[in-house]
Amino acid sequence: NRKGADPLEQEFEKCAFVGAKKSAVAMGLMKENQKVVFNKCLFYGNSGSGLFVNGKKESSRVILDECVFNYGEFGIEIAGKISVSINKTCFSNFTEQAISVGDDSKLLMNESRIFDCGAGVVIMNQAQAIVADSKIISNKETGIMASDKSDSNIYGSEISKNKAYGIGLLDVAKISVRESFIEYNNADGIQLCNNTKADISDTAIR
C-alpha cells in the first residue's frame, strides 16, 4: 500500500519488491525536502540492488524501518547529497556489499544486522556514516570499509567473524569507534592505510 497525498512525502508499508532484473526501487535525483519511508517492506531476489537512492540536497531523506533485504547483488546503494536512516533492518545473502554510501551522503544505521554478504558497509567519497547498536557479522569480505575522506562513527556495535578485516580504512578516511566489539575476523580487527585515522575507546579488539 502506498500512502501520502503530498508528492514530497511518500510511505510504502508492508510492500514486497521481488525479482527485479535491475534495482527493485531506483530513486534518481530526489527533490529538495522529499521524504520517502519504507516500513516493514521486503526486498528479495533482485539482480541489481534492492534500493538505489540519489539526491542533490541534504534535505532529501529516505527512512527504512523494520525492513528485510535478502538475496541479490547489492542491498542499498546511496549516492548524491541525501540522508538515509536505517532502523531495525536486516540484510543477508548479497554477493556484494549490503550497503554502499558515497558522494557526500549521510547514513544512520541503528539496531540493524548485516550477515552472509560480500561486504558489510562500504563508505566512500566524503560520505558520513553512523552505525549504532548494530551487528555486522560473518560476511565474506570486510565488515566496514571506509575510504576517500569519509567520516564514520561506530557505537555499541559488533563487527565479528568477517572473512577479511573487521574495519578497513583507506585514503584519508577517519573513524571513531566507541563501546563496540571487533572480534574474530579472519584478518586484522582494524586495518589502517594511506593517512587514515582511527579514534577507538572502550572497545574489545581481538
Side-chain angles (χ1 to χ4, degrees), residues 50-195:
L51 175 63
F52 172 80
V53 295
N54 190 6
K56 295 196 296 184
K57 300 290 185 180
E58 293 181 5
S59 61
S60 304
R61 293 179 294 157
V62 174
I63 299 171
L64 296 109
D65 287 323
E66 299 183 55
C67 293
V68 174
F69 288 75
N70 198 0
Y71 287 102
E73 187 175 4
F74 300 95
I76 299 177
E77 294 180 276
I78 304 165
K81 290 186 176 180
I82 190 169
S83 297
V84 177
S85 178
I86 299 172
N87 307 299
K88 297 182 179 178
T89 290
C90 181
F91 299 82
S92 62
N93 298 297
F94 289 99
T95 57
E96 303 295 332
Q97 57 263 25
I99 301 170
S100 65
V101 52
D103 301 330
D104 295 307
S105 295
K106 294 182 179 180
L107 168 68
L108 171 59
M109 175 177 162
N110 184 54
E111 294 186 47
S112 295
R113 294 184 63 195
I114 297 173
F115 61 95
D116 290 338
C117 297
V121 182
V122 174
I123 308 155
M124 53 194 171
N125 297 336
Q126 303 183 61
Q128 300 178 43
I130 297 174
V131 176
D133 300 315
S134 295
K135 292 185 177 184
I136 301 174
I137 57 176
S138 301
N139 296 290
K140 299 177 181 65
E141 299 176 20
T142 296
I144 294 176
M145 178 59 73
S147 64
D148 304 319
K149 299 182 181 179
S150 62
D151 187 356
S152 308
N153 289 270
I154 314 300
Y155 178 80
S157 295
E158 178 184 350
I159 304 168
S160 66
K161 300 179 182 177
N162 299 289
K163 291 187 177 179
Y165 300 97
I167 296 173
L169 299 181
L170 299 168
D171 301 327
V172 204
K174 62 180 181 179
I175 196 166
S176 173
V177 184
R178 300 279 187 274
E179 299 183 21
S180 296
F181 294 90
I182 306 172
E183 303 179 305
Y184 311 121
N185 299 285
N186 283 8
D188 295 333
I190 298 179
Q191 178 203 39
L192 302 175
C193 297
N194 300 344
N195 298 313

Side-chain angles (χ1 to χ4, degrees), residues 5-60:
D6 187 338
L8 292 179
E9 294 191 11
Q10 298 170 312
E11 181 176 352
F12 297 84
E13 185 173 357
K14 296 181 179 178
C15 295
F17 305 95
V18 177
K21 293 183 179 179
K22 294 184 178 180
S23 297
V25 180
M27 306 179 66
L29 294 180
M30 291 179 64
K31 297 178 181 179
E32 186 174 2
N33 295 316
Q34 185 175 357
K35 175 183 175 182
V36 180
V37 178
F38 296 89
N39 184 28
K40 297 181 179 177
C41 292
L42 171 66
F43 299 79
Y44 180 88
N46 301 294
S47 296
S49 55
L51 175 63
F52 172 80
V53 295
N54 190 6
K56 295 196 296 184
K57 300 290 185 180
E58 293 181 5
S59 61
S60 304

